[in-house]
Amino acid sequence: MNPSTLRFLIPTLLLALAGAGLLHAQQPADADKRIDALLQKMSLKEKIDLIGGVDGFYLRDVPSAGLPRLKMSDGPMGARNDGPATTTGGIALAATWNTVLAESVGAEIGRDARARGTHFLLGPGVNICLAPMNGRNFEYFGEDPFLSGRIAAAYIQGMQKQGVSATVKHFLGNNSEYDRHNVEAEIDERTMREIYLPAFEAAVKIGHVASIMDSYNLVNGYHLTQNPYLNKDVVKSGWNFDGLIISDWSATYDGVEAANAGMDIEMPSGAYMNSKTLLPAIETGKVTVATIDDKVRRILRVAMRFGWMDRAQTDLTIPAYNVAGKNAALQTAREGMVLLKNDSNLLPVSRGSIRSIALLGPDAHPAIPSGGGSASVKPFAAVSFLDGLTNALGPSANVYYHRGIPKWSQLANSTAFTTAGGRPGLQVEVFGNKDFSGSPVATRIDEHINVRPPFTVTELLAGEVPEVDKLSKEAHDSSTRWSGLYSAAAAGSYRVFVESPTDGVAGFRLSIDGKPVIDDWKLRKAIIDQNSIELSAGKHQVVFERYQTGFNFLGDLVRVGIVPATGLVDPAAKALAAKADLVVLAVGYDNDSESEGGDRTFGLPIGQDELIREISAVNKKVVVVVTSGGNVDSSKWLPQVSGLIQAWYPGQEGGTALAEILLGDVNPSGRLPFTFEKRWEDNPAHDSYYPEPGTRRVVYRSGVFVGYRGYEHNGTQPLFPFGYGLSYTAFKYGNLSLKQLDGAGKYEVSFDVTNTGKREGAEVAQIYVGANGASVPRPAKELKAFSKVTLRPGETKRVSVELDPRSFAYFDVPGKQWKADAGDYEVLVGHSSAEIELRRKVTLERALAIAVSE
């Protein structure tokens, strides 16, 4: 090897080691000496200024320390902040159960970040999915802490090898989006350790993540940014985390408490952790200089680890249009879509046997690559289901498209009102407070309730709204009342909805004839809430009220609609369906109805249930494709359709992947990363998802029995179990063996998987452990390993995975450690949590104790 080649390879190798978390571990002394020298050059004010963000997504540069300006970008599904980028990831990635692919996706999003000069990519999100309505489920990795942690760790490793810090979020208990600044999660220690912390723990210990983001909500009495037990005791001391803890945007509420609680950086600015607040606190001894120095030390350590102080972060050798990223996005969509129902083997369909397909529904076109909010990434090009299917079939078959039902805006504009005086529209009163006190500051007549902001959320989050700071500063409390009459043409059932994507303190309520129809005044449960009511023919009094406190970054969008339940489905869509060889119905949500800042409904948006029922009545060959971050209420139509595919938010290549699966070019291999309930009432979290009456306190009463653990504990049959997914082939398991690797709870589990069908396919082998006769209540089984294996028809492969002592352990609260009791355990292997094919007893001859640091 010549010297010039060696000079090139050494920095590249060091960067790879740094990304994997290895370089710092090997050279801490040298790094610490350099950091000590740099700290001496910085004034106390410079240090305090550094720990508060600037210009929205940056940390200040410190020339005296040689620290460049550090840039952050939103990132759970791509490098969002700087124009188009690769769009993929989130729950669709978890549904692949493929850690190799997760690392590849992390690497490509990391490459996108390098091409754009980004230092911190704000992702992945790993909060446990408790309820299907959580507006950010689509960003996360499911209900199981082991699956979530392993997908996250692989993703982080891939990203950080590119010289970009991943930022695992939102720490901790951010399991809903309603009233997210004020909800307090009460979680007992064992539950926290076994369910809600392990994914973050894996990100730290396995992924070597460089930064963690504190969430908005409170846990056990403290906002996360002011929570010393979680930030300092658990993460920094318990897990030996030497990276950074940053706040979510505007999630800091007290500068002194946040500084002392272990949070290192306040974003997007030093609104609380600033010189005005902290210098007096230092003078009075409430905050020490050593506390500030530790935060700066961590910033410098991360900057050195990734080489940011020694090279430019923007890598112009990486194309902004990332072809490898496009391929990773396509593979994620292929492996992430889950085939849930396939009656009479309707799928795959043969190109030679089909002449026409009716592609119907609101999610068929345009493409919906991601949900809304800060995870909403705009790709260079996104392939809709219509694009993908049309491109795949070419001239061999006709694809007929129709949306099938009206848009939200059309429903609002079709709702006709009259004032009490007989004028078209509603009387509007605007008050300069949130409780309608005093006289209105403005009045007007609105023909419809369809108020739109002067900008879109996408424009706002992309920094394309220069007046946003002005709007924010001018924001104040307000309340608005719309009142008028709605004339029902005939007696019958009507659908009612309110769309108001409001972040922060806000609420709305709709009453008809003095009776509440939708009441989200104290607890705003959904961005778009809906209901069904019975109305008599004639006029009905309508009053809609809404209040807002402060600035709504999601935009002042308000829509209300009242429409007859019949007649929502366009007759043209039914006519297309009746004559088609196959119907594909694309339903679900989009980035307006499923987003951060609010939850969504469990039931599909207005008109979609009717669309599925009416279309399946005229054609029996119907495949429903659902775009959502989680389960939806399918009880009104699932028995009537032949096929069901959960597409999630499939990223930029979703249309191509769906067409490949429908036509058999790709054998579906996605598996559910959380359990699908038959009814919301069946979910183990049902009775404790919303705050207790009169409070903002959510007590996690299910304890460790959430997700599949809870369904089994409660004896409740789900619609589809955790880990479930169909294939176009079949798999058989056999020859299970266990080999003890040491005397301290480490085992090798080996078994055969055989493809017994006629198509190549991939199986996700899932390995669970159950404790028999445990000293504390424990789940019947818990996922402890998995392996995705691709097999040709008739092929058999031997699969081996390892179990470690934690695979058998629960968290011993009195002992403050992990503990596995002596006794019998079962190792179970199968297709899903409910489809166990092999089992073998394991006996621990002695109890095992594992420290929290291990």
Side-chain angles (χ1 to χ4, degrees):
M1 184 180 294
N2 64 52
S4 62
T5 302
L6 186 62
R7 282 194 298 272
F8 170 77
L9 287 177
I10 288 176
T12 303
L13 176 61
L14 291 177
L15 181 58
L17 290 172
L22 301 176
L23 183 59
H24 173 72
Q26 293 176 350
Q27 297 180 330
D30 292 343
D32 285 345
K33 288 180 182 178
R34 185 179 175 190
I35 290 170
D36 288 340
L38 294 176
L39 281 171
Q40 295 297 319
K41 297 180 180 180
M42 296 176 64
S43 68
L44 181 57
K45 185 177 186 306
E46 280 182 314
K47 295 172 184 178
I48 293 174
D49 287 346
L50 178 60
I51 64 176
V54 66
D55 296 335
F57 280 87
Y58 292 87
L59 293 185
R60 292 173 175 84
D61 61 324
V62 184
S64 64
L67 182 71
R69 182 175 164 98
L70 302 180
K71 179 180 179 181
M72 301 182 183
S73 172
D74 285 320
M77 294 191 70
R80 185 191 61 78
N81 290 37
D82 296 282
T86 303
T87 307
T88 186
I91 196 66
L93 182 60
T96 70
W97 292 62
N98 187 336
T99 56
V100 175
L101 179 58
E103 183 171 351
S104 175
V105 168
E108 295 309 328
I109 293 178
R111 280 165 45 82
D112 280 0
R114 283 298 304 276
R116 292 155 178 79
T118 297
H119 299 84
F120 293 91
L121 213 291
L122 305 179
V126 299
N127 293 104
I128 295 299
C129 298
L130 289 183
M133 298 87 69
N134 181 9
R136 299 189 89 155
N137 277 346
F138 75 92
E139 302 179 34
Y140 299 150
F141 292 152
E143 74 181 31
D144 183 79
F146 184 87
L147 173 63
S148 182
R150 292 312 185 269
I151 295 292
Y155 176 99
I156 290 163
Q157 288 172 341
M159 177 171 292
Q160 294 192 159
K161 287 175 184 177
Q162 313 310 310
V164 176
S165 168
T167 306
V168 66
K169 61 181 190 176
H170 303 88
F171 189 74
L172 178 81
N174 185 189
N175 306 114
S176 63
E177 280 297 293
Y178 62 82
D179 198 18
R180 58 184 180 172
H181 286 266
N182 302 292
V183 166
E184 177 185 352
E186 287 194 5
I187 314 174
D188 68 87
E189 180 77 8
R190 182 184 165 205
T191 297
M192 207 177 337
R193 292 283 187 174
E194 294 187 24
I195 303 296
Y196 301 100
L197 282 170
F200 292 95
E201 185 179 4
V204 171
K205 293 181 178 179
I206 302 173
H208 303 287
V209 74
S211 59
I212 298 172
M213 180 185 288
D214 275 341
S215 60
Y216 291 111
N217 55 284
L218 299 90
V219 169
N220 297 341
Y222 297 90
H223 277 288
L224 265 298
T225 52
Q226 297 159 212
N227 198 312
Y229 174 69
L230 287 170
N231 289 339
K232 295 174 70 175
D233 297 349
V234 172
V235 175
K236 291 184 173 180
S237 297
W239 297 345
N240 297 316
F241 177 65
D242 62 359
L244 296 163
I245 297 180
I246 69 175
S247 76
D248 203 339
W249 267 231
S250 302
T252 305
Y253 310 91
D254 185 294
V256 172
E257 288 193 18
N260 287 328
M263 193 187 76
D264 300 306
I265 298 173
E266 179 185 1
M267 295 300 293
S269 66
Y272 293 90
M273 288 205 319
N274 54 39
S275 295
K276 182 178 179 181
T277 299
L278 295 181
L279 284 176
I282 291 171
E283 291 173 2
T284 58
K286 293 180 179 178
V287 177
T288 67
V289 173
T291 295
I292 304 302
D293 280 352
D294 180 67
K295 302 178 192 306
V296 177
R297 184 181 299 277
R298 288 171 180 272
I299 295 171
L300 294 173
R301 183 185 295 134
V302 170
M304 289 181 187
R305 171 181 165 183
F306 291 103
W308 297 339
M309 300 175 73
D310 303 313
R311 58 161 172 79
Q313 184 67 355
T314 303
D315 188 341
L316 296 177
T317 69
I318 301 174
Y321 181 78
N322 187 348
V323 176
K326 176 181 177 181
N327 294 335
L330 176 57
Q331 193 62 24
T332 301
R334 286 169 172 162
E335 295 191 37
M337 291 187 184
V338 184
L339 179 63
L340 294 173
K341 185 176 182 181
N342 190 21
D343 286 356
S344 302
N345 293 320
L346 174 63
L347 298 177
V349 295
S350 169
R351 285 178 171 82
S353 64
I354 196 162
R355 304 304 303 168
S356 63
I357 293 179
L359 179 56
L360 313 173
D363 288 23
H365 188 79
I368 307 172
S370 70
S374 58
S376 182
V377 183
K378 181 180 179 181
F380 281 93
V383 183
S384 71
F385 296 152
L386 177 61
D387 294 330
L389 199 53
T390 302
N391 293 339
L393 285 170
S396 66
N398 290 322
V399 179
Y400 298 98
Y401 162 73
H402 200 289
R403 179 182 167 86
I405 56 174
K407 298 178 181 179
W408 295 109
S409 58
Q410 292 171 319
L411 292 173
N413 285 337
S414 67
T415 304
F417 297 100
T418 57
T419 66
R423 293 180 58 184
L426 304 102
Q427 180 69 42
V428 183
E429 300 169 283
V430 181
F431 296 81
N433 50 69
K434 66 177 184 179
D435 56 6
F436 301 97
S437 60
S439 300
V441 296
T443 61
R444 64 177 189 269
I445 300 291
D446 283 352
E447 185 176 358
H448 308 285
I449 307 179
N450 190 5
V451 180
R452 286 158 289 184
F455 53 84
T456 67
V457 176
T458 300
E459 290 171 338
L460 177 65
L461 293 174
E464 298 172 3
V465 186
E467 69 271 22
V468 66
D469 287 338
K470 178 182 177 183
L471 291 171
S472 179
K473 291 174 183 177
E474 292 179 351
H476 55 80
D477 293 356
S478 65
S479 54
T480 308
R481 178 184 294 125
W482 288 262
S483 55
L485 299 171
Y486 173 77
S487 294
S493 180
Y494 285 75
R495 302 285 184 262
V496 181
F497 77 89
V498 175
E499 179 180 9
S500 183
T502 308
D503 183 48
V505 181
F508 54 79
R509 57 193 176 198
L510 174 69
S511 65
I512 297 180
D513 296 329
K515 299 177 181 179
V517 176
I518 295 176
D519 188 354
D520 284 25
W521 192 256
K522 294 182 178 179
L523 176 61
R524 192 175 56 85
K525 291 185 176 181
I527 289 174
I528 305 178
D529 210 346
Q530 58 192 41
N531 203 352
S532 296
I533 58 171
E534 297 292 322
L535 292 179
S536 60
K539 295 182 178 181
H540 298 270
Q541 179 69 39
V542 175
V543 177
F544 175 64
E545 296 177 322
R546 176 178 179 268
Y547 77 87
Q548 170 71 30
T549 298
F551 176 65
N552 172 21
F553 91 92
L554 293 175
D556 192 26
L557 171 65
V558 187
R559 290 190 178 117
V560 175
I562 306 171
V563 293
T566 58
L568 286 170
V569 181
D570 194 307
K574 290 195 284 187
L576 290 173
K579 67 178 184 180
D581 295 332
L582 176 72
V583 177
V584 178
L585 272 172
V587 299
Y589 305 86
D590 56 24
N591 54 18
D592 287 330
S593 54
E594 191 161 21
S595 170
E596 76 164 290
D599 279 4
R600 64 158 170 88
T601 56
F602 182 46
L604 286 170
I606 284 178
Q608 295 191 20
D609 286 337
E610 290 84 355
L611 177 66
I612 299 171
R613 290 203 303 268
E614 293 186 31
I615 294 300
S616 59
V618 300
N619 192 320
K620 299 304 179 185
K621 294 183 177 181
V622 174
V623 177
V624 175
V625 179
V626 180
T627 297
S628 69
N631 189 23
V632 303
D633 184 1
S634 59
S635 61
K636 298 175 182 177
W637 48 262
L638 185 58
Q640 284 74 53
V641 303
S642 298
L644 175 63
I645 294 175
Q646 180 65 39
W648 316 110
Y649 287 88
Q652 66 187 60
E653 303 298 319
T656 300
L658 178 65
E660 291 174 336
I661 289 171
L662 292 173
L663 298 173
D665 300 331
V666 166
N667 192 344
S669 63
R671 302 293 184 263
L672 291 180
F674 41 64
T675 310
F676 275 19
E677 55 274 273
K678 292 179 180 177
R679 308 175 307 152
W680 161 228
E681 291 80 3
D682 295 338
N683 189 299
H686 175 269
D687 294 340
S688 57
Y689 181 68
Y690 294 113
E692 295 188 333
T695 75
R696 286 172 168 163
R697 187 177 66 250
V698 178
V699 181
Y700 283 45
R701 300 189 186 281
S702 300
V704 299
F705 299 104
V706 299
Y708 66 92
R709 295 166 169 82
Y711 285 92
E712 294 186 356
H713 179 73
N714 298 337
T716 303
Q717 186 73 24
L719 180 64
F720 299 112
F722 172 76
Y724 178 82
L726 298 176
S727 171
Y728 295 151
T729 190
F731 302 95
K732 180 181 178 181
Y733 289 74
N735 300 322
L736 173 63
S737 66
L738 273 69
K739 178 182 178 182
Q740 190 170 356
L741 299 178
D742 61 15
K746 184 176 287 189
Y747 291 84
E748 181 183 73
V749 181
S750 300
F751 51 90
D752 292 338
V753 182
T754 301
N755 183 345
T756 60
K758 298 180 179 180
R759 288 176 177 265
E760 181 178 292
E763 169 70 333
V764 176
Q766 301 163 40
I767 299 87
Y768 298 83
V769 173
N772 298 327
S775 60
V776 297
R778 298 192 64 178
K781 67 174 77 75
E782 298 181 274
L783 183 74
K784 295 301 177 182
F786 59 89
S787 179
K788 193 162 194 175
V789 53
T790 300
L791 299 163
R792 298 185 302 273
E795 183 181 10
T796 298
K797 286 185 179 179
R798 190 74 174 162
V799 176
S800 294
V801 299
E802 283 193 9
L803 300 178
D804 61 19
R806 279 279 291 268
S807 302
F808 302 92
Y810 65 91
F811 190 76
D812 174 25
V813 176
K816 301 184 185 302
Q817 63 183 348
W818 293 92
K819 183 179 179 181
D821 294 328
D824 294 339
Y825 295 78
E826 270 196 309
V827 175
L828 309 105
V829 181
H831 302 286
S832 74
S833 64
E835 301 168 286
I836 300 302
E837 300 294 324
L838 306 172
R839 60 183 69 222
R840 181 68 59 86
K841 186 177 78 171
V842 173
T843 300
L844 296 183
E845 299 296 338
R846 62 181 179 86
L848 303 175
I850 306 105
V852 293
S853 59
E854 295 181 27

